[in-house]
Each structure stands twice: as structure tokens, then as C-alpha cells.
Amino acid sequence: MQLADVRAAEAADATTISRLLAESIRGSYEEILGEIPTRRLVSAQCALPRIRAEIEIPGGAPGWLGWLVATGADGDLVGAVAGGVPVPGEGELYALAVTPGARRGGVGTALLAATSDRMRAFGATQQRVTLPSEQDPSLPFYEQQGFTPIAAARLNRPL
């Protein structure tokens, strides 16, 4: 998988981001959390009106840095990440999803690097992520990126 671009999400990306995020949550958490908690997570995190609103926040909002997307060489969206700096000095990763066919190809790493750069530009010196479960399948990825546990299912790393 050759990554073509990481860029700010546009309104036209909202449906694809919503679908990608929902598929990622279902695929990662249904066996771990169960069907009903997974449905609740998808409902809360992946609603198209929510994604559209988050993309279209004019000039951003306090603490919100927005969505970034990654596209493959063919122009198709293969990943998305959302983050912000809700507390001075502390970046927070809200979502990171990569299509199954693009995983282990550097897409997640590229998205994390791009959002980390944005967070640093807004004064973040630490970066955190909260995972839905202690058995989260993305835990090895985050550990490889330098995150360490600060609580159950909550990780941190210096930026």
C-alpha cells in the first residue's frame, strides 16, 4: 500500500469517515465488548451528522483540531484520525481508523505523526489516548509508537 497523502478532511469525506470508523469499531470490539456495547460505541462515535459537524467547525473549536484523512495512491480514503488539545500541553487522540487492506502499511503511523505535529503546533508536550478496552487490538500499535499505560486502557507519550 502506497500512501499518497495525509490532509485535512473535507465535507465530502464525512460519509467515508463515518463508515470507516464504524467498520473499524465493529471489527475491533464486537468480540471484546459484546454486541450491545459495540452498537452504542458506533452510535455515539460514528453518526454522520456528528462527523459532518466536526469537519465543518469554522476555524475549529477550543481544544478541537479536527479530522485528518489518508488517501492511497488511487485517491481512495484509507484512514482517518481526529484529535485535539483540550487541556494546555495535553494532546488527546479521539479516533484513529485504517481500512483493513491498508493496515500494517504505515497509514496509521502517518496519521498519528500528522496529528501529533498539529498538537505540537498548539503547545502539546504530551499525547494521550483512551481505548475502549484493556484488550484493545490496537494496543501493540500504540506501544510501538511510544505510548505507555497511565491507567487501565489509557495511554500517554511525550511529544
Side-chain angles (χ1 to χ4, degrees), residues 58-133:
W64 172 248
L65 298 180
W67 284 93
L68 298 175
V69 296
T71 57
D74 58 3
D76 288 344
L77 194 144
V78 295
V81 64
V85 183
V87 176
E90 294 180 12
E92 185 75 29
L93 190 63
Y94 299 125
L96 175 62
V98 176
T99 60
R103 291 183 184 153
R104 301 194 185 280
V107 175
T109 300
L111 286 165
L112 182 60
T115 202
S116 297
D117 288 346
R118 274 187 162 189
M119 290 175 185
R120 277 188 210 94
F122 281 84
T125 59
Q126 298 287 315
Q127 186 176 53
R128 298 192 173 152
V129 62
T130 300
L131 305 174
S133 168

Side-chain angles (χ1 to χ4, degrees), residues 54-66:
E54 290 173 347
I55 290 171
E56 296 174 359
I57 293 172
W64 172 248
L65 298 180

Side-chain angles (χ1 to χ4, degrees), residues 2-74:
Q2 184 177 356
L3 186 63
D5 191 24
V6 173
R7 61 171 172 76
E10 301 168 352
D13 298 321
T15 300
T16 306
I17 292 169
S18 175
R19 189 175 304 127
L20 168 64
L21 192 55
E23 289 171 2
S24 181
I25 289 170
R26 283 187 201 103
S28 296
Y29 302 115
E30 198 159 76
E31 286 186 29
I32 296 169
L33 300 176
E35 183 181 349
I36 292 173
T38 301
R39 279 190 200 174
R40 286 185 187 131
L41 192 57
V42 167
S43 178
Q45 301 298 317
C46 308
L48 186 54
R50 175 187 175 153
I51 303 293
R52 279 190 182 125
E54 290 173 347
I55 290 171
E56 296 174 359
I57 293 172
W64 172 248
L65 298 180
W67 284 93
L68 298 175
V69 296
T71 57
D74 58 3

